[in-house]
Amino acid sequence: MFATDGVQLCSVLFALHPSVPSDHPSRGAIEAADTEITNDHGALLTRRLGTGVLACFRSASAGIAAARALQQRAQLLYPDHPPTIGLNAGEVLLADDDNMGMTTVVAARLAQTGTPGTCLVSDLALEFGGAPHDLPLSALQLKGVPYPVHAARLPWSPAPTVADALGLPPALQPSSEPFAGRRTELDSVQQRIEALANSGTGGVVALVGEPGAGKSALLARIASVAGQLNIPVLYGRCDEYASLAYAPVTEMVRRVLQRDPRGSVALGPSAGELARVVPELRQRFPQLAQPVSSDADTERTLLIDAFRGWLQQCGANGSVLVVDDLHWADPGTLTVLAEACALARSCGLLVIAASRPTTGAANDLLVDLRREGALDLRLQGLASTDVAELLPTGADPALADRLHRQSNGNPFFVRELLRTINAAGDVAGDGAADESVRQVVLRRIGGLNEATRALLSAAAVMGLSFDALLL
């Protein structure tokens, strides 16, 4: 029984898919998607009725929003089977998980009268729902309704593409800093993005560079290229201090959960299992199955299988997946990334793994990816001509050579040296690097043992080039 049992002023929506008979193999999936939409818009009840889905809402505005969302979801998931929708408002008797009365009958008859891809809304629902008042109304004689019903077609806009809905993650937003060098690397990745867009051919990119080498700037340009070709981009970053397993992967899943217009379908066939690491998933989609309770190994296997199903769903739409700072990845993330790379070519994923030079399990994975044909990008220092592109207009050309020598072509160091020069008015470019550069270097060597640090200190005194025997 509902707490709202009794006569209520509600809006009633009825959705049919005339091209989908009751024995159609996609019937259940289509009705499940419709039910998810109505529940997501706050339906008091949703139930299957004959060959359609009926939902009751507290307000006509909620019913109108649900009707538009139903048409958009159908356009994305099953464009060959658009619904016909009827929407009415009035008094409804709610009792025993059902709703009855002439308001419901009119909604059902409006759906049966419409054509695929349309929504007929009664004048009462339009008035209560705040829809445009200039819609042309028609007086309809509906079967079983003893009076004419005035109704209009509800306008709705096409659904946003998945790429537009997801947008670019904050970490991949275009930068105002000039982009120098790396054009060869960008062109090689762009070719793979174009192959993904044109033929659905995926692949893997292993991007490695020292801190400040320009990985982030290159990734932002890559994401921009994908966006221009309407390819969805998902991003996750491994964190040096994060204690949660699968952190970069769950970051991607959360963005899909929050933004993807396909709803739970975008999360794959075992989406309920993902609630182990994204608990808010079941708050959004309570109809999903609960994760299976079992021993730790079985639960881990089920989770990896669920991630695999989600990756395949990403690939079905063609997607770019970026895992950044791989050198800090936990074992679970490395497992999921290996799965993604194994699926990439066959299921329409372009997987980009970005890392500093590293050791251990992350390096082992990078080695395996290169051996299996990944595009191998190893960022070196910029050439002096590339450094010149980072200088302000009118700068002394000789400054580029001096900065190149001081920074060894590292873009981050070049920019920090430029800031130091500008702050000190040192137009000759002989100033020392500021504290931010020192901190990057100190952090890089902080994980080394004492003997290695002592060796580096001696090498630093000897300059960039020296005789190893002398050291």
Side-chain angles (χ1 to χ4, degrees):
M1 299 285 286
F2 286 97
T4 53
D5 278 0
V7 176
Q8 303 283 330
L9 184 61
C10 301
S11 66
V12 179
L13 178 151
F14 194 76
L16 295 168
H17 293 270
S19 63
V20 184
S22 58
D23 58 350
H24 193 282
S26 299
R27 180 88 207 178
I30 291 174
E31 290 184 347
D34 289 351
T35 299
E36 181 176 287
I37 284 284
T38 56
N39 288 340
D40 210 25
H41 284 76
L44 292 171
L45 68 87
T46 299
R47 68 186 184 91
R48 297 179 182 183
L49 185 63
T51 58
V53 170
L54 183 143
C56 187
F57 302 88
R58 288 189 184 279
S59 68
S61 58
I64 287 173
R68 287 175 167 147
L70 282 167
Q71 296 290 5
Q72 292 177 334
R73 182 71 60 87
Q75 181 190 38
L76 287 171
L77 296 182
Y78 33 89
D80 294 334
H81 305 296
T84 65
I85 299 173
L87 183 66
N88 190 28
E91 291 186 339
V92 176
L93 176 61
L94 298 176
D96 298 327
D97 295 352
D98 199 356
N99 61 330
M100 297 168 281
M102 188 55 68
T103 301
T104 301
V105 173
V106 169
R109 293 291 184 256
L110 286 172
Q112 293 163 353
T113 301
T115 56
T118 64
C119 177
L120 288 178
V121 186
S122 71
D123 54 352
L124 286 176
L126 289 170
E127 182 177 353
F128 294 150
H133 292 288
D134 58 349
L135 296 177
L137 293 171
S138 300
L140 304 176
Q141 293 292 336
L142 303 176
K143 182 180 178 181
V145 180
Y147 51 83
V149 175
H150 293 85
R153 285 192 177 190
L154 181 71
W156 57 277
S157 302
T161 66
V162 175
D164 285 340
L166 292 177
L168 289 182
L172 299 180
Q173 293 292 332
S175 169
S176 59
E177 299 277 6
F179 183 75
R182 315 305 183 208
R183 287 178 175 80
T184 299
E185 293 87 349
L186 179 59
D187 288 345
S188 61
V189 180
Q190 180 168 344
Q191 291 174 9
R192 283 155 177 79
I193 295 175
E194 290 171 348
L196 181 63
N198 296 330
S199 63
T201 301
V204 180
V205 178
L207 173 61
V208 176
E210 292 284 352
K215 298 185 296 296
S216 296
L218 179 57
L219 289 173
R221 292 287 175 138
I222 290 169
S224 179
V225 170
Q228 291 168 11
L229 293 174
N230 203 32
I231 299 293
V233 179
L234 291 170
Y235 173 90
R237 178 179 174 272
C238 307
D239 194 325
E240 182 179 12
Y241 305 108
S243 58
L244 295 175
Y246 310 104
V249 190
T250 57
E251 183 180 349
M252 298 183 197
V253 171
R254 283 191 169 94
R255 195 164 183 88
V256 172
L257 173 64
Q258 295 163 0
R259 291 172 170 260
D260 198 303
R262 296 171 296 172
S264 65
V265 169
L267 297 168
S270 302
E273 289 292 330
L274 297 177
R276 297 183 192 277
V277 288
V278 186
E280 63 268 32
L281 189 150
R282 284 193 50 79
Q283 297 174 9
R284 171 73 191 280
F285 302 120
Q287 78 279 6
L288 294 177
Q290 290 275 6
V292 175
S293 295
S294 186
D295 60 90
D297 288 343
T298 299
E299 289 184 357
R300 180 178 180 276
T301 298
L302 290 170
L303 178 59
I304 296 300
D305 286 344
F307 277 130
R308 186 185 299 112
W310 165 67
L311 290 166
Q312 289 171 330
Q313 189 62 47
C314 290
N317 202 57
S319 298
V320 174
L321 269 58
V322 179
V323 178
D324 203 0
D325 289 336
L326 185 68
H327 46 281
W328 287 325
D330 64 277
T333 293
L334 293 175
T335 299
V336 176
L337 181 59
E339 290 283 350
C341 294
L343 291 168
R345 184 167 294 277
S346 62
C347 82
L349 289 174
L350 180 62
V351 182
I352 303 176
S355 175
R356 296 176 185 175
T358 187
T359 58
N363 183 62
D364 292 343
L365 177 58
L366 290 170
V367 170
D368 289 343
L369 297 180
R370 294 183 187 113
R371 185 172 58 247
E372 293 164 5
L375 175 62
D376 186 10
L377 301 181
R378 306 189 199 198
L379 301 186
Q380 306 300 322
L382 298 177
S384 181
T385 52
D386 296 327
V387 171
E389 295 183 32
L390 298 176
L391 303 184
T393 304
D396 182 355
L399 180 58
D401 292 330
R402 288 194 291 270
L403 289 176
H404 182 261
R405 288 195 303 271
Q406 287 181 299
S407 66
N408 201 28
N410 183 291
F412 173 75
F413 291 174
V414 170
R415 290 189 174 97
E416 293 305 309
L417 287 166
L418 270 175
R419 290 190 179 99
T420 301
I421 290 168
N422 292 335
D426 182 11
V427 294
D430 295 324
D434 72 1
E435 185 63 21
S436 59
V437 174
R438 293 190 183 91
Q439 289 302 321
V440 169
V441 175
L442 290 173
R443 188 174 183 182
R444 184 77 171 97
I445 66 176
L448 303 176
N449 59 46
E450 185 175 351
T452 303
R453 290 200 299 271
L455 190 66
L456 284 174
S457 295
V461 174
M462 299 171 69
L464 289 176
S465 300
F466 50 83
D467 189 325
L469 293 178
L470 180 60
L471 180 63

